[in-house]
Amino acid sequence: MSVTLIGGMDRLKPEYVSTAEALGHELKCISRNERNFLAKIGNPDALIVFTNKISHEAKRKAQQLARSRNIPIRFVHSCGVSTLRECLQLA
């Protein structure tokens, strides 16, 4: 399953990716709202948004994209590896 993670901490990116791979998921991490934000999200099977480390505008854009493409989206306030693990186990 292809999952895009929006938000989180840059220093934890390798741990996010290894955790997702261990659970059988392919993970793409986008840490902030940047140029071509929507294009970088791509067409994943699911979106996870860590809301405490992302701007309101990026959250809004991700939500609009998910609605328009009928992609499941999960908003989580925490941004730890264990939180990502819980989200991926439910996916």
Side-chain angles (χ1 to χ4, degrees), residues 56-82:
H56 291 287
E57 181 184 2
K59 178 184 164 242
R60 183 184 49 78
K61 285 181 181 178
Q63 189 171 23
Q64 287 175 345
L65 178 81
R67 283 183 182 162
S68 69
R69 295 185 186 172
N70 201 21
I71 299 171
I73 187 168
R74 177 132 187 208
F75 296 100
V76 186
H77 184 70
S78 178
C79 64
V81 176
S82 61

mmCIF file of all heavy atoms in Angstrom, residues 56-82:
data_model
loop_
_atom_site.group_PDB
_atom_site.id
_atom_site.type_symbol
_atom_site.label_atom_id
_atom_site.label_comp_id
_atom_site.label_asym_id
_atom_site.label_seq_id
_atom_site.Cartn_x
_atom_site.Cartn_y
_atom_site.Cartn_z
ATOM 1 N N HIS A 56 -1.584 25.315 8.516
ATOM 2 C CA HIS A 56 -3.017 25.160 8.263
ATOM 3 C C HIS A 56 -3.298 25.093 6.760
ATOM 4 O O HIS A 56 -4.172 24.350 6.316
ATOM 5 C CB HIS A 56 -3.803 26.318 8.877
ATOM 6 C CG HIS A 56 -3.800 26.306 10.365
ATOM 7 N ND1 HIS A 56 -4.525 25.413 11.105
ATOM 8 C CD2 HIS A 56 -3.138 27.083 11.267
ATOM 9 C CE1 HIS A 56 -4.324 25.640 12.387
ATOM 10 N NE2 HIS A 56 -3.481 26.642 12.517
ATOM 11 N N GLU A 57 -2.540 25.854 5.990
ATOM 12 C CA GLU A 57 -2.732 25.857 4.544
ATOM 13 C C GLU A 57 -2.398 24.496 3.936
ATOM 14 O O GLU A 57 -3.133 23.987 3.088
ATOM 15 C CB GLU A 57 -1.859 26.938 3.899
ATOM 16 C CG GLU A 57 -2.029 27.000 2.393
ATOM 17 C CD GLU A 57 -1.089 28.009 1.739
ATOM 18 O OE1 GLU A 57 -0.286 28.642 2.440
ATOM 19 O OE2 GLU A 57 -1.180 28.131 0.516
ATOM 20 N N ALA A 58 -1.300 23.886 4.381
ATOM 21 C CA ALA A 58 -0.931 22.569 3.868
ATOM 22 C C ALA A 58 -1.969 21.523 4.257
ATOM 23 O O ALA A 58 -2.319 20.653 3.458
ATOM 24 C CB ALA A 58 0.442 22.169 4.395
ATOM 25 N N LYS A 59 -2.482 21.623 5.471
ATOM 26 C CA LYS A 59 -3.526 20.697 5.925
ATOM 27 C C LYS A 59 -4.773 20.843 5.062
ATOM 28 O O LYS A 59 -5.371 19.855 4.621
ATOM 29 C CB LYS A 59 -3.860 20.975 7.383
ATOM 30 C CG LYS A 59 -4.962 20.116 7.936
ATOM 31 C CD LYS A 59 -5.279 20.533 9.366
ATOM 32 C CE LYS A 59 -6.603 19.963 9.755
ATOM 33 N NZ LYS A 59 -7.601 20.922 10.075
ATOM 34 N N ARG A 60 -5.149 22.075 4.789
ATOM 35 C CA ARG A 60 -6.326 22.342 3.968
ATOM 36 C C ARG A 60 -6.147 21.811 2.543
ATOM 37 O O ARG A 60 -7.036 21.168 1.987
ATOM 38 C CB ARG A 60 -6.605 23.844 3.944
ATOM 39 C CG ARG A 60 -7.855 24.238 3.179
ATOM 40 C CD ARG A 60 -8.024 25.759 3.118
ATOM 41 N NE ARG A 60 -6.828 26.483 2.704
ATOM 42 C CZ ARG A 60 -6.414 26.582 1.429
ATOM 43 N NH1 ARG A 60 -7.082 25.981 0.472
ATOM 44 N NH2 ARG A 60 -5.332 27.268 1.143
ATOM 45 N N LYS A 61 -4.975 22.047 1.946
ATOM 46 C CA LYS A 61 -4.698 21.552 0.597
ATOM 47 C C LYS A 61 -4.752 20.027 0.542
ATOM 48 O O LYS A 61 -5.315 19.453 -0.396
ATOM 49 C CB LYS A 61 -3.318 22.017 0.127
ATOM 50 C CG LYS A 61 -3.234 23.459 -0.265
ATOM 51 C CD LYS A 61 -1.821 23.774 -0.718
ATOM 52 C CE LYS A 61 -1.627 25.202 -1.099
ATOM 53 N NZ LYS A 61 -0.224 25.475 -1.489
ATOM 54 N N ALA A 62 -4.169 19.374 1.536
ATOM 55 C CA ALA A 62 -4.179 17.913 1.574
ATOM 56 C C ALA A 62 -5.601 17.383 1.701
ATOM 57 O O ALA A 62 -5.978 16.398 1.048
ATOM 58 C CB ALA A 62 -3.318 17.415 2.730
ATOM 59 N N GLN A 63 -6.390 18.036 2.522
ATOM 60 C CA GLN A 63 -7.774 17.605 2.725
ATOM 61 C C GLN A 63 -8.587 17.771 1.436
ATOM 62 O O GLN A 63 -9.362 16.889 1.074
ATOM 63 C CB GLN A 63 -8.403 18.401 3.859
ATOM 64 C CG GLN A 63 -9.755 17.893 4.287
ATOM 65 C CD GLN A 63 -10.228 18.580 5.557
ATOM 66 O OE1 GLN A 63 -9.787 19.682 5.883
ATOM 67 N NE2 GLN A 63 -11.099 17.927 6.278
ATOM 68 N N GLN A 64 -8.406 18.878 0.741
ATOM 69 C CA GLN A 64 -9.116 19.097 -0.517
ATOM 70 C C GLN A 64 -8.710 18.071 -1.573
ATOM 71 O O GLN A 64 -9.557 17.552 -2.306
ATOM 72 C CB GLN A 64 -8.852 20.514 -1.042
ATOM 73 C CG GLN A 64 -9.553 21.587 -0.256
ATOM 74 C CD GLN A 64 -9.186 22.982 -0.719
ATOM 75 O OE1 GLN A 64 -8.211 23.185 -1.430
ATOM 76 N NE2 GLN A 64 -9.967 23.965 -0.306
ATOM 77 N N LEU A 65 -7.418 17.773 -1.645
ATOM 78 C CA LEU A 65 -6.940 16.776 -2.600
ATOM 79 C C LEU A 65 -7.524 15.401 -2.291
ATOM 80 O O LEU A 65 -7.976 14.688 -3.192
ATOM 81 C CB LEU A 65 -5.409 16.707 -2.583
ATOM 82 C CG LEU A 65 -4.821 15.663 -3.514
ATOM 83 C CD1 LEU A 65 -4.766 16.194 -4.932
ATOM 84 C CD2 LEU A 65 -3.458 15.244 -3.050
ATOM 85 N N ALA A 66 -7.523 15.033 -1.021
ATOM 86 C CA ALA A 66 -8.057 13.733 -0.618
ATOM 87 C C ALA A 66 -9.537 13.617 -0.957
ATOM 88 O O ALA A 66 -9.992 12.580 -1.446
ATOM 89 C CB ALA A 66 -7.826 13.505 0.871
ATOM 90 N N ARG A 67 -10.292 14.674 -0.712
ATOM 91 C CA ARG A 67 -11.723 14.651 -1.033
ATOM 92 C C ARG A 67 -11.949 14.542 -2.534
ATOM 93 O O ARG A 67 -12.815 13.804 -2.984
ATOM 94 C CB ARG A 67 -12.407 15.901 -0.505
ATOM 95 C CG ARG A 67 -12.653 15.874 0.966
ATOM 96 C CD ARG A 67 -13.396 17.102 1.411
ATOM 97 N NE ARG A 67 -13.593 17.084 2.855
ATOM 98 C CZ ARG A 67 -13.898 18.145 3.563
ATOM 99 N NH1 ARG A 67 -14.044 19.315 2.975
ATOM 100 N NH2 ARG A 67 -14.051 18.050 4.869
ATOM 101 N N SER A 68 -11.179 15.295 -3.322
ATOM 102 C CA SER A 68 -11.391 15.302 -4.772
ATOM 103 C C SER A 68 -11.015 13.970 -5.417
ATOM 104 O O SER A 68 -11.594 13.587 -6.419
ATOM 105 C CB SER A 68 -10.602 16.439 -5.421
ATOM 106 O OG SER A 68 -9.223 16.196 -5.353
ATOM 107 N N ARG A 69 -10.047 13.268 -4.840
ATOM 108 C CA ARG A 69 -9.602 11.983 -5.407
ATOM 109 C C ARG A 69 -10.129 10.770 -4.645
ATOM 110 O O ARG A 69 -9.743 9.647 -4.940
ATOM 111 C CB ARG A 69 -8.078 11.936 -5.436
ATOM 112 C CG ARG A 69 -7.468 12.954 -6.358
ATOM 113 C CD ARG A 69 -5.995 12.772 -6.442
ATOM 114 N NE ARG A 69 -5.358 13.821 -7.212
ATOM 115 C CZ ARG A 69 -4.058 13.963 -7.307
ATOM 116 N NH1 ARG A 69 -3.248 13.134 -6.686
ATOM 117 N NH2 ARG A 69 -3.550 14.941 -8.025
ATOM 118 N N ASN A 70 -10.953 11.017 -3.632
ATOM 119 C CA ASN A 70 -11.534 9.943 -2.818
ATOM 120 C C ASN A 70 -10.435 9.081 -2.161
ATOM 121 O O ASN A 70 -10.478 7.847 -2.208
ATOM 122 C CB ASN A 70 -12.485 9.079 -3.656
ATOM 123 C CG ASN A 70 -13.452 8.331 -2.777
ATOM 124 O OD1 ASN A 70 -13.690 8.709 -1.631
ATOM 125 N ND2 ASN A 70 -14.001 7.262 -3.307
ATOM 126 N N ILE A 71 -9.451 9.755 -1.573
ATOM 127 C CA ILE A 71 -8.342 9.088 -0.881
ATOM 128 C C ILE A 71 -8.613 9.152 0.617
ATOM 129 O O ILE A 71 -8.901 10.224 1.150
ATOM 130 C CB ILE A 71 -6.996 9.796 -1.187
ATOM 131 C CG1 ILE A 71 -6.701 9.758 -2.690
ATOM 132 C CG2 ILE A 71 -5.857 9.166 -0.408
ATOM 133 C CD1 ILE A 71 -5.514 10.605 -3.100
ATOM 134 N N PRO A 72 -8.511 8.015 1.319
ATOM 135 C CA PRO A 72 -8.678 8.058 2.776
ATOM 136 C C PRO A 72 -7.593 8.925 3.412
ATOM 137 O O PRO A 72 -6.423 8.838 3.042
ATOM 138 C CB PRO A 72 -8.535 6.607 3.215
ATOM 139 C CG PRO A 72 -8.493 5.793 1.986
ATOM 140 C CD PRO A 72 -8.254 6.687 0.825
ATOM 141 N N ILE A 73 -7.994 9.749 4.380
ATOM 142 C CA ILE A 73 -7.041 10.648 5.044
ATOM 143 C C ILE A 73 -7.233 10.533 6.545
ATOM 144 O O ILE A 73 -8.351 10.388 7.039
ATOM 145 C CB ILE A 73 -7.212 12.103 4.548
ATOM 146 C CG1 ILE A 73 -6.119 13.005 5.087
ATOM 147 C CG2 ILE A 73 -8.586 12.637 4.865
ATOM 148 C CD1 ILE A 73 -6.049 14.368 4.426
ATOM 149 N N ARG A 74 -6.120 10.582 7.274
ATOM 150 C CA ARG A 74 -6.174 10.492 8.729
ATOM 151 C C ARG A 74 -5.378 11.657 9.308
ATOM 152 O O ARG A 74 -4.218 11.862 8.953
ATOM 153 C CB ARG A 74 -5.576 9.164 9.179
ATOM 154 C CG ARG A 74 -5.516 9.022 10.656
ATOM 155 C CD ARG A 74 -6.037 7.727 11.099
ATOM 156 N NE ARG A 74 -6.108 7.735 12.535
ATOM 157 C CZ ARG A 74 -6.019 6.669 13.260
ATOM 158 N NH1 ARG A 74 -5.880 5.515 12.693
ATOM 159 N NH2 ARG A 74 -6.095 6.750 14.561
ATOM 160 N N PHE A 75 -6.000 12.414 10.181
ATOM 161 C CA PHE A 75 -5.348 13.536 10.855
ATOM 162 C C PHE A 75 -4.976 13.109 12.256
ATOM 163 O O PHE A 75 -5.821 12.630 13.009
ATOM 164 C CB PHE A 75 -6.274 14.751 10.925
ATOM 165 C CG PHE A 75 -6.617 15.311 9.581
ATOM 166 C CD1 PHE A 75 -7.828 15.022 8.977
ATOM 167 C CD2 PHE A 75 -5.725 16.129 8.911
ATOM 168 C CE1 PHE A 75 -8.145 15.535 7.741
ATOM 169 C CE2 PHE A 75 -6.032 16.654 7.672
ATOM 170 C CZ PHE A 75 -7.245 16.349 7.081
ATOM 171 N N VAL A 76 -3.697 13.296 12.611
ATOM 172 C CA VAL A 76 -3.198 12.914 13.930
ATOM 173 C C VAL A 76 -2.371 14.077 14.462
ATOM 174 O O VAL A 76 -1.573 14.660 13.736
ATOM 175 C CB VAL A 76 -2.317 11.648 13.839
ATOM 176 C CG1 VAL A 76 -1.915 11.172 15.205
ATOM 177 C CG2 VAL A 76 -3.025 10.544 13.083
ATOM 178 N N HIS A 77 -2.571 14.413 15.725
ATOM 179 C CA HIS A 77 -1.846 15.549 16.289
ATOM 180 C C HIS A 77 -0.393 15.200 16.606
ATOM 181 O O HIS A 77 0.506 16.011 16.390
ATOM 182 C CB HIS A 77 -2.551 16.058 17.548
ATOM 183 C CG HIS A 77 -1.922 17.284 18.113
ATOM 184 N ND1 HIS A 77 -1.985 18.513 17.478
ATOM 185 C CD2 HIS A 77 -1.194 17.478 19.225
ATOM 186 C CE1 HIS A 77 -1.318 19.401 18.196
ATOM 187 N NE2 HIS A 77 -0.839 18.815 19.258
ATOM 188 N N SER A 78 -0.142 14.037 17.094
ATOM 189 C CA SER A 78 1.212 13.614 17.450
ATOM 190 C C SER A 78 2.025 13.306 16.202
ATOM 191 O O SER A 78 1.477 13.072 15.131
ATOM 192 C CB SER A 78 1.132 12.374 18.342
ATOM 193 O OG SER A 78 2.420 11.921 18.668
ATOM 194 N N CYS A 79 3.355 13.290 16.318
ATOM 195 C CA CYS A 79 4.184 13.013 15.140
ATOM 196 C C CYS A 79 5.279 11.994 15.424
ATOM 197 O O CYS A 79 6.317 11.985 14.781
ATOM 198 C CB CYS A 79 4.794 14.307 14.603
ATOM 199 S SG CYS A 79 5.939 15.098 15.733
ATOM 200 N N GLY A 80 5.045 11.102 16.364
ATOM 201 C CA GLY A 80 6.042 10.099 16.700
ATOM 202 C C GLY A 80 5.975 8.876 15.807
ATOM 203 O O GLY A 80 5.011 8.656 15.072
ATOM 204 N N VAL A 81 7.017 8.058 15.882
ATOM 205 C CA VAL A 81 7.082 6.830 15.096
ATOM 206 C C VAL A 81 5.995 5.852 15.549
ATOM 207 O O VAL A 81 5.374 5.182 14.721
ATOM 208 C CB VAL A 81 8.487 6.198 15.212
ATOM 209 C CG1 VAL A 81 8.542 4.873 14.475
ATOM 210 C CG2 VAL A 81 9.542 7.154 14.678
ATOM 211 N N SER A 82 5.726 5.787 16.835
ATOM 212 C CA SER A 82 4.688 4.886 17.328
ATOM 213 C C SER A 82 3.302 5.307 16.836
ATOM 214 O O SER A 82 2.458 4.462 16.539
ATOM 215 C CB SER A 82 4.698 4.821 18.858
ATOM 216 O OG SER A 82 4.454 6.089 19.409
#
